[in-house]
Amino acid sequence: MAEPEPRARSLTGTAVGTARTEIRRHIHDLLSDDFTLRAESIEELEKFGAAAADEIVQTLKTKCVDPHASSSLTDALEEIGKPATAALIHALTHVAEVTSPREAYLLENLIDTLGRLDDRRTAAILAGQLTKLNRAIRKNGNHALTDVCEATRVRIHECLADMGDRRALNDLIRMLGDGRKRVRDGVVDALARIGERRALTPMLRLYAVEDE
């Protein structure tokens, strides 16, 4: 009576393989220039849930420097919703160091997507990415890499602010001294969302200097 078990496992494996093939076909369509085809592929990918998210994240790793592809892939992940969280976190935690713009763009896309999913359970994971971004900024003189890392830091703080999470406030307040207006504006916006009083004095000093 126990003999049918291998056949059952084989059928399950076949089904998984078929699903993976179908998911990859939909991802190929997702990267099309045809808007209707892209919309249909997102709808189909959503049905596969976490399995589709795994494949999409793998594709994002190779397409993260392509704005068009990144946008389509992250839109699909957002549509899948919470079932995509595990794949996003797994990819984030497997980027040990940020040593190139490609890795920085990948982090930016993963973090932005997690932020859009608005799952407060990811706050610690998001805050943890600040360490590797800060390390990359200190170690590298590559302006392109630094710019992406700074933008990603701001995005993390915006996500945390929207979640009402204050664990990275010290890092956020230190960023007020950044001379680049785009970074500083993002920092001020994040602080405003949180309503942190400790930031009031450095913010007043900052704008007093600018008015002189």
Side-chain angles (χ1 to χ4, degrees):
M1 295 295 291
E3 289 181 3
E5 287 187 15
R7 178 173 173 76
R9 283 196 293 269
S10 176
L11 286 172
T12 301
T14 301
V16 169
T18 301
R20 185 178 293 118
T21 299
E22 193 170 347
I23 288 168
R24 288 174 178 174
R25 177 171 61 81
H26 290 311
I27 291 174
H28 179 271
D29 293 343
L30 180 64
L31 301 178
S32 165
D33 290 330
D34 185 325
F35 176 81
T36 302
L37 191 60
R38 290 204 309 272
E40 290 174 353
S41 68
I42 288 178
E43 187 176 332
E44 292 300 319
L45 286 165
E46 184 184 3
K47 297 175 184 177
F48 289 95
D54 286 337
E55 292 290 336
I56 294 169
V57 169
Q58 290 304 312
T59 305
L60 183 60
K61 289 178 180 179
T62 64
K63 301 284 188 181
C64 57
V65 296
D66 180 338
H68 167 74
S70 295
S71 177
S72 296
L73 292 164
T74 55
D75 283 349
L77 289 166
E78 185 179 7
E79 196 65 28
I80 290 169
K82 296 294 194 295
T85 301
L88 289 163
I89 291 174
H90 182 268
L92 270 178
T93 55
H94 278 72
V95 179
E97 294 289 338
V98 182
T99 58
S100 70
R102 173 178 288 277
E103 290 164 333
Y105 280 121
L106 176 59
L107 279 186
E108 182 180 38
N109 280 289
L110 294 170
I111 287 164
D112 183 62
T113 308
L114 266 181
R116 284 187 277 160
L117 294 181
D118 195 26
D119 186 342
R120 295 190 179 199
R121 294 173 298 176
T122 65
I125 297 292
L126 289 170
Q129 304 310 302
L130 291 167
T131 299
K132 66 181 75 167
L133 290 166
N134 289 337
R135 191 159 53 232
I137 291 166
R138 287 195 302 269
K139 286 184 176 180
N140 290 279
N142 184 324
H143 293 301
L145 174 59
T146 300
D147 287 346
V148 180
C149 287
E150 291 287 13
T152 305
R153 285 176 72 201
V154 171
R155 182 64 184 124
I156 289 172
H157 285 299
E158 289 173 342
C159 294
L160 293 174
D162 287 339
M163 294 176 186
D165 191 285
R166 296 168 173 254
R167 76 187 68 208
L169 265 176
N170 289 337
D171 182 81
L172 180 59
I173 291 172
R174 282 194 297 270
M175 288 179 71
L176 273 175
D178 194 292
R180 286 163 293 189
K181 187 175 187 300
R182 186 185 65 171
V183 172
R184 196 170 63 241
D185 287 350
V187 172
V188 171
D189 180 60
L191 285 167
R193 294 185 203 185
I194 296 175
E196 175 55 42
R197 292 184 178 181
R198 279 190 294 155
L200 186 58
T201 299
M203 285 172 66
L204 289 172
R205 288 173 181 164
L206 174 68
Y207 287 109
V209 170
E210 287 187 344
D211 288 341
E212 289 178 355

